[in-house]
């Protein structure tokens, strides 16, 4: 079992768009297993590669039916509205009620290159949208209404200072 430190708010890797995966090789499989270990160790319900500092379009999740890996995901359809108290391992300890589509249709690939097509509802749909955001360099803070976002950024800035080491770098958690 190998885990990675989870990058937290303030780390520029979380604001970049991750690149398409081009090689389904042993290295990617190892990354996926490490991501699953890291997700369970946190613990969390989902983890995207940028959160462990890897700029690739791959995420892992467990919405209650075991761990799965999705490579090069896309949300091809979404519908409805659902409000849920959402958190993020990269913004630890903070949760907000966020409204997003209730149902999504996710497509992508597994580690063997087989096509994956999942119609997801509520919690699973929320995880997919959250992890897709990570792959596009978006943190959940950007999903907040302007006033709540301002407040959240203030909280995080204060906390961010406490997370900086002597060189001014964000300490890995
Ligand atoms: Ni997250």
């Amino acid at each position: 079992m190998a885990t990675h430190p989870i990058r937290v708010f303030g780390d520029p890797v979380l604001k970049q768009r991750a690149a398409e995966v081009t090689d389904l090789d042993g290295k990617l499989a190892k990354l996926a297993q490490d991501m699953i270990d890291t997700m369970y160790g946190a613990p969390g319900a989902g983890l995207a590669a940028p959160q462990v500092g890897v700029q690739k379009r791959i995420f892992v999740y467990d919405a209650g039916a075991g761990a799965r890996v999705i490579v090069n995901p896309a949300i091809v359809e979404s519908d409805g509205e659902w409000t849920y108290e959402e958190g993020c391992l990269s913004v630890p300890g903070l949760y907000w009620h966020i409204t997003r589509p209730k149902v999504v249709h996710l497509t992508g690939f597994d580690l063997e290159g087989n096509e994956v097509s999942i119609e997801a509802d509520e919690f699973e749909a929320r995880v997919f949208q959250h992890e897709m955001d990570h792959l596009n360099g978006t943190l959940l803070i950007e999903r907040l209404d302007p006033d709540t976002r301002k407040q959240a950024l203030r909280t995080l800035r204060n906390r961010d200072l406490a997370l900086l080491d002597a060189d001014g770098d964000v300490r890995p958690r």
Side-chain angles (χ1 to χ4, degrees):
M1 174 154 160
T3 63
H4 294 271
I6 296 176
R7 307 300 182 94
V8 294
F9 175 82
D11 191 319
V13 76
L14 296 171
K15 297 184 83 171
Q16 292 160 22
R17 188 182 191 279
E20 300 287 323
V21 171
T22 51
D23 297 309
L24 299 171
D25 52 16
K27 208 178 146 204
L28 191 76
K30 165 85 167 76
L31 170 68
Q33 188 54 56
D34 288 356
M35 285 171 61
I36 289 168
D37 294 344
T38 302
M39 172 180 76
Y40 284 136
L47 190 76
Q51 292 182 278
V52 292
V54 178
Q55 291 293 54
K56 285 186 177 161
R57 301 187 80 75
I58 175 172
F59 73 78
V60 300
Y61 75 101
D62 184 346
R68 287 190 75 172
V69 181
I70 311 285
V71 177
N72 292 341
I75 289 175
V76 293
E77 237 182 291
S78 57
D79 196 24
E81 256 189 18
W82 191 57
T83 302
Y84 180 75
E85 192 175 58
E86 194 171 327
C88 177
L89 295 174
S90 294
V91 191
L94 295 176
Y95 301 86
W96 296 277
H97 286 94
I98 297 176
T99 303
R100 300 188 192 241
K102 181 177 180 289
V103 181
V104 302
H105 181 188
L106 182 102
T107 61
F109 298 89
D110 67 16
L111 285 171
E112 281 76 48
N114 303 305
E115 277 185 45
V116 171
S117 174
I118 305 169
E119 296 276 358
D121 193 8
E122 296 195 341
F123 182 69
E124 188 178 45
R126 180 58 57 104
V127 172
F128 289 168
Q129 293 171 82
H130 183 108
E131 302 314 327
M132 279 301 298
D133 271 359
H134 275 303
L135 300 182
N136 293 327
T138 300
L139 278 178
L140 80 169
I141 296 147
E142 289 164 60
R143 299 294 178 195
L144 302 173
D145 66 67
D147 282 349
T148 313
R149 187 188 312 137
K150 239 180 263 169
Q151 223 171 23
L153 288 173
R154 214 174 299 136
T155 305
L156 284 165
R157 252 182 234 118
N158 291 337
R159 179 197 279 183
D160 205 27
L161 294 174
L163 283 173
L164 298 181
D165 66 19
D167 301 322
D169 296 321
V170 176
R171 276 203 301 257
R173 293 173 63 92

